[in-house]
Amino acid sequence: MSRSTVATSLSAKLLLLTILFVLLAEVLIYTPSIARFRMSYLEERLAAAHIAALSVEAAPDLMVTKELQAKLLAYTGTHVIDLIQPGARVYMLSSPMPPRVDAVYDLRGTGMGMQFVDAGNALWLALEGALGGALGPRDRVIRVIDRSPNDPAQRVEVTMDERPLIDAMLDFSRRILAVSVAISLIAAILVYVTLHALLVRPMRRLTAEVVAFRRDPDGAPPLVPGSRSDEIGVAERELAAMQGTVRAALRQRERLATLGTAVAKINHDLRGILSTASLLSERLTESADPEVRRVTPRLVASLDRAVELCSQTLSFTRDGVLPLSPAPTDLHRLAEETGAEVLATARPDGGRVEAEWINDIPAGTLAQVDAAQLGRALVNLGRNAVQAGADRVRLSAQAGRAGALTLTIADNGPGLAPRARENLFQPFAGSARAGGIGLGLAIAREVLRAHGGDLRLVESDAAGTAFALDIPQCNADTDPVAVAAHKSFVSH
């Protein structure tokens, strides 16, 4: 596996995301931790200051020597200590020259949000000082006010340098960072190893099986599913079942392709023989025998149907995926041309069709379709109607959503038989008319689906049959149904 493949693999992404998520969790933990550390540090200073201030109460005349004051202030790390008792008595310890206070922090009633802000400001000012910012290297002096941790009834106020507090916060941050990195690495490794064993390795195996099966469906070894009951196990079993189904379908397809080639060759020769027989049969109409002249039209019609069977079978086996050449097409004109071809169809008994073709598609109705293929579908539907006994076929159009168009072809024939409805669009499985071969509707549906639409049966009863031809997103130079045509629809 190449370096670029490893870098973009699922394992590398999993490892990186695990580290990032653990670090993010540590950052979320660090924020309240550093705020709590700062509060604890100040509370310790206030508690120590309270104890130091009590030395004033034990001193004669409540006066502490300068030497003792200096020791107590150095011990507590402060410059000034004020202890205010409930009786308004104040015990105070102070250095000879107290420094100027830069900031005052009253911790009484300070919420967690303000603690976050104060801790963040302290670290930010320390960073500015380290980088030579506005404050420069000078340390701040702060005054802290809070109730005594030892006795909440008493208030303690201390003036102290902020630098020791910041140094302690930075040291705490370094320890947190070290622990976070260690936890992140350990957690990332454990999560990576676990997920790699549970997910990545089985997924890699499934991917390799899919790739091998795509390259050589017959030569690839069959997948042996494991005993897992989770989603990976289900995927393995479903993939194994799918491989078996696809292999069987491919073998069946090969057999059908071989059979189709043989049938195509036979049909080609048979069509030539039948065409010759049809031409010769027409001479029987000149026979002196009246019985021969009477049965000759039926014989010719039977031969024509046999030729039609061979032609449609050849067309169906040869087409495969229909090649379309869409272009702006006048559907009204196409319907007129289709009607002329349909009315030229011979009836099963050899007679000419006597039917009315009603073209209700408004003039100027344009659609981006393959005129030859769509006309082929309309001819198949129209022929089915007139050969089934209809004497009136009506073709109309209706605008749909998003530029779609629906053509409706309706007849007044006897309707479809139950068997024909069950296998309506199945090739060779049934026919919508007596004597049919069951390819006309199948081919028409393939044409519509090649355009991205569909052919569907709207209704069929004793009053007639109606099919709908859905053509989606028929973009043309104008709307699928022109403005005038649309007004015609509304008026109807």
Side-chain angles (χ1 to χ4, degrees):
M1 185 178 293
S2 64
R3 182 176 300 176
S4 60
T5 305
V6 172
T8 58
S9 65
L10 182 61
S11 301
K13 294 177 181 178
L14 181 62
L15 179 61
L16 178 61
L17 289 175
T18 303
I19 294 176
L20 290 178
F21 290 154
V22 172
L23 287 178
L24 178 60
E26 292 295 336
V27 169
L28 297 177
I29 295 174
Y30 169 76
T31 303
S33 298
I34 192 66
R36 182 65 253 175
F37 176 83
R38 178 177 177 274
M39 287 293 296
S40 299
Y41 182 93
L42 294 177
E43 288 173 354
E44 290 177 0
R45 289 293 177 270
L46 292 172
H50 185 184
I51 295 174
L54 292 179
S55 63
V56 176
E57 186 176 13
D61 301 327
L62 302 179
M63 296 293 294
V64 180
T65 63
K66 295 181 178 180
E67 292 78 7
L68 181 58
Q69 284 194 69
K71 290 181 180 180
L72 292 174
L73 292 175
Y75 171 76
T76 56
T78 59
H79 295 288
V80 177
I81 299 175
D82 292 330
L83 177 62
I84 298 91
Q85 296 182 336
R89 180 180 297 180
V90 178
Y91 294 158
M92 179 177 179
L93 298 174
S94 175
S95 60
M97 295 291 295
R100 179 175 62 87
V101 175
D102 296 306
V104 177
Y105 294 100
D106 191 345
L107 305 184
R108 293 172 296 181
T110 302
M112 183 62 69
M114 186 56 64
Q115 294 178 21
F116 293 162
V117 173
D118 292 341
N121 288 336
L123 292 177
W124 177 253
L125 291 174
L127 179 61
E128 277 191 337
L131 297 177
L135 293 179
R138 183 176 63 85
D139 295 333
R140 295 200 314 169
V141 176
I142 61 175
R143 185 171 182 82
V144 182
I145 304 172
D146 196 6
R147 296 181 181 87
S148 173
N150 300 323
D151 185 359
Q154 303 183 42
R155 187 174 82 247
V156 181
E157 300 180 5
V158 298
T159 301
M160 54 181 288
D161 293 328
E162 192 178 28
R163 170 54 57 185
L165 169 62
I166 292 177
D167 290 341
M169 293 173 65
L170 292 176
D171 182 65
F172 177 79
S173 299
R174 283 189 290 268
R175 286 185 277 114
I176 285 289
L177 177 61
V179 173
S180 299
V181 171
I183 293 176
S184 299
L185 292 177
I186 295 174
I189 292 173
L190 292 177
V191 172
Y192 171 78
V193 171
T194 303
L195 294 182
H196 189 274
L198 294 178
L199 296 177
V200 177
R201 190 184 302 168
M203 288 297 297
R204 188 175 294 169
R205 176 173 172 241
L206 285 176
T207 303
E209 291 285 347
V210 171
V211 172
F213 184 75
R214 181 186 63 83
R215 291 176 177 173
D216 186 7
D218 291 328
L223 173 64
V224 180
S227 58
R228 297 176 58 161
S229 59
D230 56 6
E231 288 81 358
I232 297 294
V234 173
E236 289 178 346
R237 289 188 290 273
E238 292 297 326
L239 178 59
M242 184 190 69
Q243 286 181 346
T245 302
V246 172
R247 285 192 177 97
L250 290 176
R251 286 192 291 267
Q252 183 69 12
R253 181 179 178 182
E254 291 178 358
R255 296 191 188 99
L256 291 176
T258 304
L259 179 60
T261 302
V263 170
K265 293 179 180 179
I266 294 172
N267 269 315
H268 182 273
D269 296 337
L270 184 59
R271 184 176 60 171
I273 296 173
L274 291 174
S275 297
T276 302
S278 179
L279 292 174
L280 294 176
S281 298
E282 291 180 357
R283 300 182 60 182
L284 295 178
T285 58
E286 303 173 359
S287 174
D289 189 340
E291 183 63 23
V292 172
R293 291 197 304 271
R294 186 180 66 81
V295 300
T296 295
R298 295 183 180 178
L299 174 61
V300 173
S302 298
L303 290 174
D304 288 341
R305 287 199 303 274
V307 172
E308 181 187 1
L309 169 61
C310 294
S311 299
Q312 291 197 16
T313 303
L314 282 173
S315 176
F316 184 77
T317 56
R318 182 180 61 246
D319 282 343
V321 178
L322 292 177
L324 298 182
S325 300
T329 302
D330 188 334
L331 297 181
H332 178 82
R333 183 180 303 174
L334 179 63
E336 289 293 329
E337 297 172 356
T338 301
E341 187 174 350
V342 169
L343 296 179
T345 303
R347 294 200 307 264
D349 60 0
R352 306 304 297 176
V353 168
E354 295 181 1
E356 183 182 8
W357 181 269
I358 304 173
N359 183 7
D360 283 344
I361 299 178
T365 302
L366 297 180
Q368 189 84 1
V369 295
D370 188 315
Q373 295 291 357
L374 184 59
R376 178 185 179 192
L378 293 174
V379 167
N380 286 345
L381 293 169
R383 281 180 176 172
N384 281 351
V386 298
Q387 290 182 351
D391 57 15
R392 186 176 68 254
V393 181
R394 183 184 299 273
L395 189 61
S396 59
Q398 182 178 2
R401 296 182 179 178
L405 184 67
T406 297
L407 302 181
T408 302
I409 181 168
D411 63 68
N412 64 343
L416 299 174
R419 178 178 176 274
R421 295 186 190 183
E422 293 175 0
N423 306 286
L424 194 58
F425 300 107
Q426 297 297 323
F428 307 105
S431 174
R433 59 179 174 84
I437 60 176
L439 279 178
L441 290 177
I443 294 175
R445 192 181 209 186
E446 284 190 358
V447 169
L448 269 298
R449 288 188 171 179
H451 281 85
D454 202 358
L455 173 66
R456 51 190 173 86
L457 176 65
V458 178
E459 61 180 355
S460 181
D461 50 30
T465 301
F467 284 93
L469 295 81
D470 297 321
I471 309 174
Q473 297 180 350
C474 300
N475 300 317
D477 295 339
T478 62
D479 291 337
V481 178
V483 175
H486 180 72
K487 291 181 179 178
S488 174
F489 291 150
V490 173
S491 65
H492 283 79

